[in-house]
Amino acid sequence: MRPLTLDSLNPVVKNVEYAVRGELAIKAEEYRIKLTEKDNGLPFDKVISSNIGNPQQKGLDQSPITFTRQVAALTEWPALAELAPHVFPQDVVARAKEILDEVGSIGAYSHSQGVPLIRKNVANFIEGTLTIPFATSLLTSGLDRDGYPCNPSNIFLTAGASAGVSLLLSMLINSPNCGVLIPIPQYPLYTATLAQNSGKAVPYYLDESSGWSTSVPSVEAAIEKASKEGIETKVLVIINPGNPTGALLDEETQTKLVELCEKYSLVLLADEVYQDNLHQRDQYPFTSFKKVVMKTQSPIPLFSFHSISKGVFGECGRRGGYFECTNISEDIIAQIYKMVSVGLCPPLSGQIGVDCMIRPPKPGDESYDLWEKETNTIHESLASRTKIMAKRLNSLPGVSCVDSPGALYLHPKITLSDKAVKAAREAGKEPDVFYALGLLDHTGICVTPGSGFGQKEGEWHYRLTCLCPGTEEYVHKLAEYHGEFVEKYGL
């Protein structure tokens, strides 16, 4: 019998890379196990997973929103409402009953497109027709959306936003010369999915010197360059707020990007999963691409994504999200439905999480005061950590960091000397990977090297989350390691 070998696999598998779960993350997990041993010899007492936006991960410990978890508990085990009659607020009991009346049991398959009731609620959220007055809450941006119609039939609930992105890219890539415009730096999901589906990445570079802004002329130049290389650019990916940059697009730029899509007949994928992670809301508000497309009466095909993994919810493990189809024909939607039907349905726990995200308690509900306190606390702490960390990183020699107005990350640029680059090459590593491995070895802090997101030639970065508690201690360790690195290798 012939053994199963790497050569037996689909060759595209070897081309797939996903930096946030790559070499650094694997080594961090090895250290985490080693820390359980006596006399482990490590110079740190814990691993800090700053490489991924996973708010409730052990060590980051963001508390889940009580309302979300209470609804989850009662939908998992409805008898709890009677066994503990004075534990659950009445609005929680009512929400769980409403959902269970629709689905029967969360152990059953739902409609392949998602529970109809929840899709209707998502549509109301996007329209801005939910009765959620947020005058006293920090959540003034993400929960009173667009003011334009949304058809529940155009909503697909998914196992996180990533599942929707992967599905749609797999459907849109129709030849080896199909190009997809991706921002650099970008979230590695996109390059990984392109590799898996034999598509061509068409990079456009964000401008770090102006807060990681998007230049419409640079996007157009990327299209024209790709065309000369025989690539037919078909899709434009926008991540707003940005990952890993946290940058937010202003409406004027969004309008120009929509016009560019019209000019070149591009499908727009709007990754908007960080739409409620806004640290400077007055100066940097979020505007959805759906709103821009409707406002300008543009005919461009648009797919917009959202998720329960980010925002203040951080319910990454529940795998809940959705995408909306705008200006997509019924025959295309039928094909999307056919493809999602192959997977039967998205997880019911994730779908219920979506309902709790887009339909939280409203003033006067029994759960509202606690919900408002919990969500405001998370927003305030994240904004505070981001500001402190950016300031401290900018004080380090050879480091510059944009003070991110959105998302969960900072993406500092580090200057590495010729001596450091040479040492990295001799070790068989990219220079920023070499730096990040040293940081992990000395401090237990795991970050994601900028080479995993893409960057200009000769520049080096790393991405770290702003989710870590104990900010001062955390940044002190970063600064101490950087000082030792500079002392050894120079600037």
Side-chain angles (χ1 to χ4, degrees), residues 170-206:
S170 73
M171 295 180 67
L172 290 167
I173 296 169
N174 62 353
S175 80
N177 289 321
C178 177
V180 177
L181 285 152
I182 57 171
I184 299 296
Q186 54 93 32
Y187 181 49
L189 164 68
Y190 292 96
T191 45
T193 305
L194 289 176
Q196 188 175 354
N197 292 282
S198 300
K200 292 285 195 303
V202 179
Y204 63 94
Y205 288 85
L206 306 180

PDB file of all heavy atoms in Angstrom, residues 170-206:
ATOM      1  N   SER A 170     -14.316  31.865  -2.987  1.00  0.00           N
ATOM      2  CA  SER A 170     -14.249  30.616  -3.750  1.00  0.00           C
ATOM      3  C   SER A 170     -15.209  30.642  -4.931  1.00  0.00           C
ATOM      4  O   SER A 170     -14.957  30.015  -5.969  1.00  0.00           O
ATOM      5  CB  SER A 170     -14.559  29.417  -2.841  1.00  0.00           C
ATOM      6  OG  SER A 170     -15.941  29.353  -2.518  1.00  0.00           O
ATOM      7  N   MET A 171     -16.314  31.356  -4.797  1.00  0.00           N
ATOM      8  CA  MET A 171     -17.283  31.460  -5.888  1.00  0.00           C
ATOM      9  C   MET A 171     -16.885  32.514  -6.917  1.00  0.00           C
ATOM     10  O   MET A 171     -17.191  32.370  -8.107  1.00  0.00           O
ATOM     11  CB  MET A 171     -18.670  31.792  -5.319  1.00  0.00           C
ATOM     12  CG  MET A 171     -19.261  30.696  -4.452  1.00  0.00           C
ATOM     13  SD  MET A 171     -20.908  31.123  -3.794  1.00  0.00           S
ATOM     14  CE  MET A 171     -21.885  31.136  -5.306  1.00  0.00           C
ATOM     15  N   LEU A 172     -16.216  33.559  -6.472  1.00  0.00           N
ATOM     16  CA  LEU A 172     -15.886  34.663  -7.371  1.00  0.00           C
ATOM     17  C   LEU A 172     -14.634  34.414  -8.205  1.00  0.00           C
ATOM     18  O   LEU A 172     -14.489  34.967  -9.296  1.00  0.00           O
ATOM     19  CB  LEU A 172     -15.715  35.953  -6.563  1.00  0.00           C
ATOM     20  CG  LEU A 172     -16.999  36.535  -5.950  1.00  0.00           C
ATOM     21  CD1 LEU A 172     -16.662  37.608  -4.923  1.00  0.00           C
ATOM     22  CD2 LEU A 172     -17.910  37.091  -7.040  1.00  0.00           C
ATOM     23  N   ILE A 173     -13.718  33.595  -7.698  1.00  0.00           N
ATOM     24  CA  ILE A 173     -12.487  33.301  -8.439  1.00  0.00           C
ATOM     25  C   ILE A 173     -12.818  32.270  -9.511  1.00  0.00           C
ATOM     26  O   ILE A 173     -13.039  31.094  -9.222  1.00  0.00           O
ATOM     27  CB  ILE A 173     -11.384  32.788  -7.498  1.00  0.00           C
ATOM     28  CG1 ILE A 173     -10.995  33.872  -6.500  1.00  0.00           C
ATOM     29  CG2 ILE A 173     -10.163  32.333  -8.288  1.00  0.00           C
ATOM     30  CD1 ILE A 173     -10.111  33.396  -5.370  1.00  0.00           C
ATOM     31  N   ASN A 174     -12.861  32.716 -10.762  1.00  0.00           N
ATOM     32  CA  ASN A 174     -13.317  31.835 -11.841  1.00  0.00           C
ATOM     33  C   ASN A 174     -12.222  31.450 -12.827  1.00  0.00           C
ATOM     34  O   ASN A 174     -12.488  30.791 -13.823  1.00  0.00           O
ATOM     35  CB  ASN A 174     -14.500  32.466 -12.589  1.00  0.00           C
ATOM     36  CG  ASN A 174     -14.119  33.775 -13.263  1.00  0.00           C
ATOM     37  OD1 ASN A 174     -13.018  34.286 -13.073  1.00  0.00           O
ATOM     38  ND2 ASN A 174     -15.045  34.321 -14.046  1.00  0.00           N
ATOM     39  N   SER A 175     -10.990  31.870 -12.556  1.00  0.00           N
ATOM     40  CA  SER A 175      -9.870  31.464 -13.412  1.00  0.00           C
ATOM     41  C   SER A 175      -8.564  31.740 -12.672  1.00  0.00           C
ATOM     42  O   SER A 175      -8.532  32.537 -11.732  1.00  0.00           O
ATOM     43  CB  SER A 175      -9.892  32.242 -14.736  1.00  0.00           C
ATOM     44  OG  SER A 175      -9.348  33.546 -14.550  1.00  0.00           O
ATOM     45  N   PRO A 176      -7.460  31.100 -13.095  1.00  0.00           N
ATOM     46  CA  PRO A 176      -6.161  31.346 -12.445  1.00  0.00           C
ATOM     47  C   PRO A 176      -5.669  32.783 -12.606  1.00  0.00           C
ATOM     48  O   PRO A 176      -4.769  33.212 -11.885  1.00  0.00           O
ATOM     49  CB  PRO A 176      -5.219  30.364 -13.155  1.00  0.00           C
ATOM     50  CG  PRO A 176      -6.110  29.311 -13.725  1.00  0.00           C
ATOM     51  CD  PRO A 176      -7.382  30.013 -14.088  1.00  0.00           C
ATOM     52  N   ASN A 177      -6.256  33.527 -13.534  1.00  0.00           N
ATOM     53  CA  ASN A 177      -5.858  34.920 -13.755  1.00  0.00           C
ATOM     54  C   ASN A 177      -6.828  35.902 -13.109  1.00  0.00           C
ATOM     55  O   ASN A 177      -6.787  37.100 -13.398  1.00  0.00           O
ATOM     56  CB  ASN A 177      -5.758  35.208 -15.253  1.00  0.00           C
ATOM     57  CG  ASN A 177      -4.573  34.515 -15.891  1.00  0.00           C
ATOM     58  OD1 ASN A 177      -3.501  34.436 -15.291  1.00  0.00           O
ATOM     59  ND2 ASN A 177      -4.761  33.998 -17.091  1.00  0.00           N
ATOM     60  N   CYS A 178      -7.699  35.406 -12.230  1.00  0.00           N
ATOM     61  CA  CYS A 178      -8.653  36.271 -11.542  1.00  0.00           C
ATOM     62  C   CYS A 178      -7.947  36.986 -10.400  1.00  0.00           C
ATOM     63  O   CYS A 178      -7.387  36.345  -9.502  1.00  0.00           O
ATOM     64  CB  CYS A 178      -9.817  35.453 -11.019  1.00  0.00           C
ATOM     65  SG  CYS A 178     -11.027  36.411 -10.084  1.00  0.00           S
ATOM     66  N   GLY A 179      -7.965  38.305 -10.419  1.00  0.00           N
ATOM     67  CA  GLY A 179      -7.268  39.101  -9.414  1.00  0.00           C
ATOM     68  C   GLY A 179      -8.195  39.657  -8.355  1.00  0.00           C
ATOM     69  O   GLY A 179      -9.337  40.046  -8.651  1.00  0.00           O
ATOM     70  N   VAL A 180      -7.699  39.677  -7.112  1.00  0.00           N
ATOM     71  CA  VAL A 180      -8.446  40.229  -5.986  1.00  0.00           C
ATOM     72  C   VAL A 180      -7.586  41.296  -5.318  1.00  0.00           C
ATOM     73  O   VAL A 180      -6.481  40.996  -4.835  1.00  0.00           O
ATOM     74  CB  VAL A 180      -8.819  39.132  -4.971  1.00  0.00           C
ATOM     75  CG1 VAL A 180      -9.533  39.739  -3.763  1.00  0.00           C
ATOM     76  CG2 VAL A 180      -9.694  38.067  -5.627  1.00  0.00           C
ATOM     77  N   LEU A 181      -8.067  42.514  -5.311  1.00  0.00           N
ATOM     78  CA  LEU A 181      -7.351  43.621  -4.673  1.00  0.00           C
ATOM     79  C   LEU A 181      -7.426  43.468  -3.164  1.00  0.00           C
ATOM     80  O   LEU A 181      -8.518  43.391  -2.585  1.00  0.00           O
ATOM     81  CB  LEU A 181      -7.963  44.957  -5.077  1.00  0.00           C
ATOM     82  CG  LEU A 181      -7.652  45.456  -6.494  1.00  0.00           C
ATOM     83  CD1 LEU A 181      -8.776  46.350  -7.002  1.00  0.00           C
ATOM     84  CD2 LEU A 181      -6.318  46.197  -6.520  1.00  0.00           C
ATOM     85  N   ILE A 182      -6.260  43.426  -2.503  1.00  0.00           N
ATOM     86  CA  ILE A 182      -6.225  43.324  -1.047  1.00  0.00           C
ATOM     87  C   ILE A 182      -5.320  44.416  -0.489  1.00  0.00           C
ATOM     88  O   ILE A 182      -4.284  44.738  -1.063  1.00  0.00           O
ATOM     89  CB  ILE A 182      -5.747  41.939  -0.568  1.00  0.00           C
ATOM     90  CG1 ILE A 182      -4.367  41.611  -1.128  1.00  0.00           C
ATOM     91  CG2 ILE A 182      -6.746  40.856  -0.940  1.00  0.00           C
ATOM     92  CD1 ILE A 182      -3.752  40.365  -0.538  1.00  0.00           C
ATOM     93  N   PRO A 183      -5.711  45.002   0.642  1.00  0.00           N
ATOM     94  CA  PRO A 183      -4.871  46.044   1.249  1.00  0.00           C
ATOM     95  C   PRO A 183      -3.620  45.420   1.848  1.00  0.00           C
ATOM     96  O   PRO A 183      -3.636  44.296   2.345  1.00  0.00           O
ATOM     97  CB  PRO A 183      -5.776  46.626   2.342  1.00  0.00           C
ATOM     98  CG  PRO A 183      -6.680  45.485   2.718  1.00  0.00           C
ATOM     99  CD  PRO A 183      -6.914  44.703   1.460  1.00  0.00           C
ATOM    100  N   ILE A 184      -2.537  46.164   1.790  1.00  0.00           N
ATOM    101  CA  ILE A 184      -1.295  45.752   2.452  1.00  0.00           C
ATOM    102  C   ILE A 184      -0.926  46.828   3.447  1.00  0.00           C
ATOM    103  O   ILE A 184      -0.743  47.971   3.071  1.00  0.00           O
ATOM    104  CB  ILE A 184      -0.136  45.539   1.451  1.00  0.00           C
ATOM    105  CG1 ILE A 184      -0.502  44.433   0.449  1.00  0.00           C
ATOM    106  CG2 ILE A 184       1.163  45.187   2.187  1.00  0.00           C
ATOM    107  CD1 ILE A 184      -0.684  43.065   1.066  1.00  0.00           C
ATOM    108  N   PRO A 185      -0.848  46.496   4.757  1.00  0.00           N
ATOM    109  CA  PRO A 185      -1.011  45.170   5.342  1.00  0.00           C
ATOM    110  C   PRO A 185      -2.467  44.712   5.346  1.00  0.00           C
ATOM    111  O   PRO A 185      -3.382  45.522   5.390  1.00  0.00           O
ATOM    112  CB  PRO A 185      -0.477  45.347   6.760  1.00  0.00           C
ATOM    113  CG  PRO A 185      -0.685  46.789   7.075  1.00  0.00           C
ATOM    114  CD  PRO A 185      -0.474  47.514   5.788  1.00  0.00           C
ATOM    115  N   GLN A 186      -2.648  43.379   5.335  1.00  0.00           N
ATOM    116  CA  GLN A 186      -3.977  42.779   5.248  1.00  0.00           C
ATOM    117  C   GLN A 186      -4.106  41.657   6.268  1.00  0.00           C
ATOM    118  O   GLN A 186      -3.124  41.187   6.824  1.00  0.00           O
ATOM    119  CB  GLN A 186      -4.197  42.215   3.847  1.00  0.00           C
ATOM    120  CG  GLN A 186      -3.116  41.230   3.382  1.00  0.00           C
ATOM    121  CD  GLN A 186      -3.392  39.773   3.647  1.00  0.00           C
ATOM    122  OE1 GLN A 186      -4.522  39.338   3.633  1.00  0.00           O
ATOM    123  NE2 GLN A 186      -2.349  38.988   3.879  1.00  0.00           N
ATOM    124  N   TYR A 187      -5.356  41.240   6.477  1.00  0.00           N
ATOM    125  CA  TYR A 187      -5.606  40.088   7.335  1.00  0.00           C
ATOM    126  C   TYR A 187      -5.308  38.825   6.530  1.00  0.00           C
ATOM    127  O   TYR A 187      -5.832  38.660   5.418  1.00  0.00           O
ATOM    128  CB  TYR A 187      -7.055  40.115   7.815  1.00  0.00           C
ATOM    129  CG  TYR A 187      -7.426  38.984   8.733  1.00  0.00           C
ATOM    130  CD1 TYR A 187      -6.628  38.667   9.824  1.00  0.00           C
ATOM    131  CD2 TYR A 187      -8.563  38.225   8.511  1.00  0.00           C
ATOM    132  CE1 TYR A 187      -6.959  37.626  10.668  1.00  0.00           C
ATOM    133  CE2 TYR A 187      -8.905  37.187   9.351  1.00  0.00           C
ATOM    134  CZ  TYR A 187      -8.098  36.885  10.427  1.00  0.00           C
ATOM    135  OH  TYR A 187      -8.423  35.846  11.258  1.00  0.00           O
ATOM    136  N   PRO A 188      -4.488  37.899   7.033  1.00  0.00           N
ATOM    137  CA  PRO A 188      -4.018  36.755   6.241  1.00  0.00           C
ATOM    138  C   PRO A 188      -5.104  35.816   5.739  1.00  0.00           C
ATOM    139  O   PRO A 188      -4.838  34.968   4.887  1.00  0.00           O
ATOM    140  CB  PRO A 188      -3.069  36.023   7.204  1.00  0.00           C
ATOM    141  CG  PRO A 188      -2.617  37.065   8.166  1.00  0.00           C
ATOM    142  CD  PRO A 188      -3.785  37.990   8.338  1.00  0.00           C
ATOM    143  N   LEU A 189      -6.334  35.954   6.246  1.00  0.00           N
ATOM    144  CA  LEU A 189      -7.444  35.161   5.703  1.00  0.00           C
ATOM    145  C   LEU A 189      -7.527  35.310   4.192  1.00  0.00           C
ATOM    146  O   LEU A 189      -7.803  34.343   3.467  1.00  0.00           O
ATOM    147  CB  LEU A 189      -8.762  35.627   6.344  1.00  0.00           C
ATOM    148  CG  LEU A 189     -10.058  35.191   5.651  1.00  0.00           C
ATOM    149  CD1 LEU A 189     -10.252  33.692   5.776  1.00  0.00           C
ATOM    150  CD2 LEU A 189     -11.253  35.936   6.221  1.00  0.00           C
ATOM    151  N   TYR A 190      -7.276  36.515   3.699  1.00  0.00           N
ATOM    152  CA  TYR A 190      -7.479  36.778   2.275  1.00  0.00           C
ATOM    153  C   TYR A 190      -6.422  36.101   1.416  1.00  0.00           C
ATOM    154  O   TYR A 190      -6.753  35.444   0.417  1.00  0.00           O
ATOM    155  CB  TYR A 190      -7.543  38.293   2.043  1.00  0.00           C
ATOM    156  CG  TYR A 190      -8.783  38.875   2.667  1.00  0.00           C
ATOM    157  CD1 TYR A 190      -8.743  39.452   3.937  1.00  0.00           C
ATOM    158  CD2 TYR A 190     -10.011  38.774   2.039  1.00  0.00           C
ATOM    159  CE1 TYR A 190      -9.895  39.926   4.541  1.00  0.00           C
ATOM    160  CE2 TYR A 190     -11.169  39.253   2.635  1.00  0.00           C
ATOM    161  CZ  TYR A 190     -11.102  39.827   3.887  1.00  0.00           C
ATOM    162  OH  TYR A 190     -12.245  40.270   4.485  1.00  0.00           O
ATOM    163  N   THR A 191      -5.160  36.241   1.760  1.00  0.00           N
ATOM    164  CA  THR A 191      -4.121  35.578   0.967  1.00  0.00           C
ATOM    165  C   THR A 191      -4.233  34.060   1.090  1.00  0.00           C
ATOM    166  O   THR A 191      -3.989  33.336   0.124  1.00  0.00           O
ATOM    167  CB  THR A 191      -2.724  36.047   1.396  1.00  0.00           C
ATOM    168  OG1 THR A 191      -2.630  36.058   2.830  1.00  0.00           O
ATOM    169  CG2 THR A 191      -2.432  37.443   0.873  1.00  0.00           C
ATOM    170  N   ALA A 192      -4.615  33.573   2.283  1.00  0.00           N
ATOM    171  CA  ALA A 192      -4.775  32.128   2.456  1.00  0.00           C
ATOM    172  C   ALA A 192      -5.898  31.599   1.567  1.00  0.00           C
ATOM    173  O   ALA A 192      -5.762  30.548   0.915  1.00  0.00           O
ATOM    174  CB  ALA A 192      -5.060  31.808   3.921  1.00  0.00           C
ATOM    175  N   THR A 193      -7.024  32.321   1.520  1.00  0.00           N
ATOM    176  CA  THR A 193      -8.158  31.876   0.710  1.00  0.00           C
ATOM    177  C   THR A 193      -7.837  31.972  -0.779  1.00  0.00           C
ATOM    178  O   THR A 193      -8.232  31.100  -1.571  1.00  0.00           O
ATOM    179  CB  THR A 193      -9.407  32.716   1.036  1.00  0.00           C
ATOM    180  OG1 THR A 193      -9.661  32.657   2.442  1.00  0.00           O
ATOM    181  CG2 THR A 193     -10.625  32.198   0.303  1.00  0.00           C
ATOM    182  N   LEU A 194      -7.103  33.013  -1.168  1.00  0.00           N
ATOM    183  CA  LEU A 194      -6.700  33.127  -2.571  1.00  0.00           C
ATOM    184  C   LEU A 194      -5.793  31.976  -2.971  1.00  0.00           C
ATOM    185  O   LEU A 194      -5.935  31.399  -4.055  1.00  0.00           O
ATOM    186  CB  LEU A 194      -5.986  34.467  -2.805  1.00  0.00           C
ATOM    187  CG  LEU A 194      -6.861  35.717  -2.750  1.00  0.00           C
ATOM    188  CD1 LEU A 194      -6.016  36.968  -2.907  1.00  0.00           C
ATOM    189  CD2 LEU A 194      -7.929  35.674  -3.822  1.00  0.00           C
ATOM    190  N   ALA A 195      -4.848  31.615  -2.097  1.00  0.00           N
ATOM    191  CA  ALA A 195      -3.967  30.489  -2.388  1.00  0.00           C
ATOM    192  C   ALA A 195      -4.757  29.191  -2.524  1.00  0.00           C
ATOM    193  O   ALA A 195      -4.492  28.370  -3.412  1.00  0.00           O
ATOM    194  CB  ALA A 195      -2.911  30.357  -1.290  1.00  0.00           C
ATOM    195  N   GLN A 196      -5.728  29.026  -1.659  1.00  0.00           N
ATOM    196  CA  GLN A 196      -6.531  27.805  -1.667  1.00  0.00           C
ATOM    197  C   GLN A 196      -7.365  27.684  -2.941  1.00  0.00           C
ATOM    198  O   GLN A 196      -7.646  26.572  -3.412  1.00  0.00           O
ATOM    199  CB  GLN A 196      -7.450  27.793  -0.449  1.00  0.00           C
ATOM    200  CG  GLN A 196      -8.198  26.495  -0.224  1.00  0.00           C
ATOM    201  CD  GLN A 196      -8.997  26.517   1.072  1.00  0.00           C
ATOM    202  OE1 GLN A 196      -8.903  27.451   1.856  1.00  0.00           O
ATOM    203  NE2 GLN A 196      -9.776  25.485   1.292  1.00  0.00           N
ATOM    204  N   ASN A 197      -7.747  28.830  -3.505  1.00  0.00           N
ATOM    205  CA  ASN A 197      -8.608  28.823  -4.686  1.00  0.00           C
ATOM    206  C   ASN A 197      -7.885  29.257  -5.962  1.00  0.00           C
ATOM    207  O   ASN A 197      -8.532  29.525  -6.979  1.00  0.00           O
ATOM    208  CB  ASN A 197      -9.820  29.731  -4.431  1.00  0.00           C
ATOM    209  CG  ASN A 197     -10.747  29.173  -3.375  1.00  0.00           C
ATOM    210  OD1 ASN A 197     -11.535  28.273  -3.644  1.00  0.00           O
ATOM    211  ND2 ASN A 197     -10.638  29.687  -2.153  1.00  0.00           N
ATOM    212  N   SER A 198      -6.559  29.325  -5.889  1.00  0.00           N
ATOM    213  CA  SER A 198      -5.718  29.634  -7.051  1.00  0.00           C
ATOM    214  C   SER A 198      -6.047  30.983  -7.680  1.00  0.00           C
ATOM    215  O   SER A 198      -6.003  31.150  -8.906  1.00  0.00           O
ATOM    216  CB  SER A 198      -5.825  28.517  -8.107  1.00  0.00           C
ATOM    217  OG  SER A 198      -5.413  27.283  -7.562  1.00  0.00           O
ATOM    218  N   GLY A 199      -6.393  31.944  -6.820  1.00  0.00           N
ATOM    219  CA  GLY A 199      -6.604  33.308  -7.298  1.00  0.00           C
ATOM    220  C   GLY A 199      -5.327  34.117  -7.180  1.00  0.00           C
ATOM    221  O   GLY A 199      -4.343  33.689  -6.563  1.00  0.00           O
ATOM    222  N   LYS A 200      -5.330  35.299  -7.763  1.00  0.00           N
ATOM    223  CA  LYS A 200      -4.164  36.170  -7.743  1.00  0.00           C
ATOM    224  C   LYS A 200      -4.404  37.365  -6.807  1.00  0.00           C
ATOM    225  O   LYS A 200      -5.392  38.084  -6.953  1.00  0.00           O
ATOM    226  CB  LYS A 200      -3.859  36.703  -9.145  1.00  0.00           C
ATOM    227  CG  LYS A 200      -3.371  35.639 -10.132  1.00  0.00           C
ATOM    228  CD  LYS A 200      -1.941  35.245  -9.854  1.00  0.00           C
ATOM    229  CE  LYS A 200      -1.321  34.486 -11.029  1.00  0.00           C
ATOM    230  NZ  LYS A 200      -2.047  33.279 -11.443  1.00  0.00           N
ATOM    231  N   ALA A 201      -3.502  37.555  -5.863  1.00  0.00           N
ATOM    232  CA  ALA A 201      -3.565  38.732  -4.999  1.00  0.00           C
ATOM    233  C   ALA A 201      -3.034  39.938  -5.759  1.00  0.00           C
ATOM    234  O   ALA A 201      -1.951  39.886  -6.355  1.00  0.00           O
ATOM    235  CB  ALA A 201      -2.740  38.508  -3.740  1.00  0.00           C
ATOM    236  N   VAL A 202      -3.808  41.002  -5.739  1.00  0.00           N
ATOM    237  CA  VAL A 202      -3.388  42.275  -6.345  1.00  0.00           C
ATOM    238  C   VAL A 202      -3.251  43.269  -5.191  1.00  0.00           C
ATOM    239  O   VAL A 202      -4.253  43.813  -4.710  1.00  0.00           O
ATOM    240  CB  VAL A 202      -4.413  42.770  -7.384  1.00  0.00           C
ATOM    241  CG1 VAL A 202      -3.967  44.101  -7.981  1.00  0.00           C
ATOM    242  CG2 VAL A 202      -4.629  41.724  -8.467  1.00  0.00           C
ATOM    243  N   PRO A 203      -2.034  43.506  -4.707  1.00  0.00           N
ATOM    244  CA  PRO A 203      -1.865  44.335  -3.506  1.00  0.00           C
ATOM    245  C   PRO A 203      -1.970  45.828  -3.786  1.00  0.00           C
ATOM    246  O   PRO A 203      -1.521  46.315  -4.821  1.00  0.00           O
ATOM    247  CB  PRO A 203      -0.453  43.976  -3.044  1.00  0.00           C
ATOM    248  CG  PRO A 203       0.271  43.584  -4.293  1.00  0.00           C
ATOM    249  CD  PRO A 203      -0.759  42.944  -5.179  1.00  0.00           C
ATOM    250  N   TYR A 204      -2.608  46.532  -2.871  1.00  0.00           N
ATOM    251  CA  TYR A 204      -2.530  47.988  -2.864  1.00  0.00           C
ATOM    252  C   TYR A 204      -2.077  48.399  -1.456  1.00  0.00           C
ATOM    253  O   TYR A 204      -2.556  47.874  -0.458  1.00  0.00           O
ATOM    254  CB  TYR A 204      -3.852  48.660  -3.268  1.00  0.00           C
ATOM    255  CG  TYR A 204      -5.029  48.416  -2.351  1.00  0.00           C
ATOM    256  CD1 TYR A 204      -5.354  49.299  -1.318  1.00  0.00           C
ATOM    257  CD2 TYR A 204      -5.861  47.313  -2.541  1.00  0.00           C
ATOM    258  CE1 TYR A 204      -6.454  49.083  -0.489  1.00  0.00           C
ATOM    259  CE2 TYR A 204      -6.963  47.093  -1.723  1.00  0.00           C
ATOM    260  CZ  TYR A 204      -7.252  47.979  -0.704  1.00  0.00           C
ATOM    261  OH  TYR A 204      -8.327  47.766   0.123  1.00  0.00           O
ATOM    262  N   TYR A 205      -1.126  49.333  -1.389  1.00  0.00           N
ATOM    263  CA  TYR A 205      -0.462  49.636  -0.124  1.00  0.00           C
ATOM    264  C   TYR A 205      -1.133  50.804   0.589  1.00  0.00           C
ATOM    265  O   TYR A 205      -1.399  51.850  -0.011  1.00  0.00           O
ATOM    266  CB  TYR A 205       1.019  49.943  -0.366  1.00  0.00           C
ATOM    267  CG  TYR A 205       1.810  48.713  -0.726  1.00  0.00           C
ATOM    268  CD1 TYR A 205       1.865  48.253  -2.039  1.00  0.00           C
ATOM    269  CD2 TYR A 205       2.474  47.972   0.253  1.00  0.00           C
ATOM    270  CE1 TYR A 205       2.566  47.105  -2.377  1.00  0.00           C
ATOM    271  CE2 TYR A 205       3.179  46.821  -0.071  1.00  0.00           C
ATOM    272  CZ  TYR A 205       3.211  46.392  -1.385  1.00  0.00           C
ATOM    273  OH  TYR A 205       3.907  45.238  -1.702  1.00  0.00           O
ATOM    274  N   LEU A 206      -1.412  50.594   1.873  1.00  0.00           N
ATOM    275  CA  LEU A 206      -1.943  51.664   2.710  1.00  0.00           C
ATOM    276  C   LEU A 206      -0.810  52.609   3.102  1.00  0.00           C
ATOM    277  O   LEU A 206       0.351  52.199   3.204  1.00  0.00           O
ATOM    278  CB  LEU A 206      -2.608  51.069   3.952  1.00  0.00           C
ATOM    279  CG  LEU A 206      -3.695  50.010   3.675  1.00  0.00           C
ATOM    280  CD1 LEU A 206      -4.279  49.509   4.997  1.00  0.00           C
ATOM    281  CD2 LEU A 206      -4.784  50.566   2.776  1.00  0.00           C
TER     282      LEU A 206
END
